[in-house]
Amino acid sequence: MQHSSATRRVILTGDRTTGPLHLGHYVGSLKNRVTLQTTHQQYLLLADAQALTDNAHNPGRVRDHVLEIATDYLAVGIDPSLTTICVQSHLPALADLTLLYMNYVTVARLERNPTIKDEIQARGFGRDIPAGFLCYPIAQAADITGFKATIVPVGDDQAPMIEQTNEVVRRINRQAGVDVLPEARALIPRIGRLPGIDGKGKMSKSQGNAIPLSATVDEIRESVRRMFTDPNHIKASDPGRVEGNVVFTYLDAFDEDHVAVEDLKARYIRGGLGDSLVKKRLEDVLQALLAPIRDRRRALARDPGHVLQVVKRGTARARVITDVTLREVRTALGLFTLN
Ligand code: TRP
């Protein structure tokens, strides 16, 4: 059922603009967003300011992926008449809210955020943590509250960010003596993080184990061919394992015919089913999924002005909304105003 835009619940989600979107993003999030846009007021944030918090040495990469990811959105079926696509760094109210919220969050609390802890490790910052990086959960609280979003579809690693956002919300509301900001909840997808094609950790461009949404027919074929299966399943007649077998994980995620997949699994476990047959099925599924996305991407590439227009319009709309929130928060806190 379609709700009128006035009563629709507000969803915000964002992507750091550091690389093209891949199949992991698709199952984890993009597919949901295409559905949610018909029932909710949805905002998609091209998080270029957040991307810079661990890419300060590479601003060009952050810049180039703003329109790249916007193109990915449109290619998978995000409809700009239903979803507002906007650029974080061009919403000054979000930066203002961040600065304001920083006074309501302690450094110790930021250092305790488990995702931040993991990411500091993974990025090898050691003691040289950029202040912007440590504070990005505060900026994310600004993103979420700036739009008064109550639903935030994200991967499970982002749950601590929503928790911290809600702490900020409660601090501000308590200080203001009025509920000026709503709390938000994370919407975690049913399917956890998709593993990379090498079976080592989650799919990630930096690990070189990703299948981008823009992959060509040959790249898809090659990725499936190289995909990690069961190293002990040597002959087709050997009994095989489906746990940790990336081909089956992907079939679970992408093949709509669950009965057929369960049947394949049973045959594989029993022995008598070769990897090449299972891979052929997965390749067909992925080719069918990505062909229309690639076609739309190609059509969009012929008209780059269109993507730019969508992003400009969306950002202008988002600016109005986030400016209102900033004004409300400042007023609720009783801060100085000139008008
Ligand atoms: N931190 C998110 C990620 O790495 C991206 C993001 C930025 C985001 N701002 C957001 C997600 C606001 C949800 C809401 O995936």
Side-chain angles (χ1 to χ4, degrees), residues 12-14 16 45 47 50 140 143-144 152 154 158:
L12 170 85
T13 181
R16 293 180 181 203
L45 192 65
Q50 189 179 114
Q140 198 158 323
D143 298 339
I144 294 167
V152 186
V154 280
Q158 293 289 301

Side-chain angles (χ1 to χ4, degrees), residues 108-118 137 157 160-161 164:
R109 175 63 180 94
L110 288 163
E111 287 171 341
R112 268 200 310 274
N113 182 312
T115 298
I116 289 288
K117 270 195 194 165
D118 289 351
D157 64 306
M161 303 301 165
Q164 233 190 316

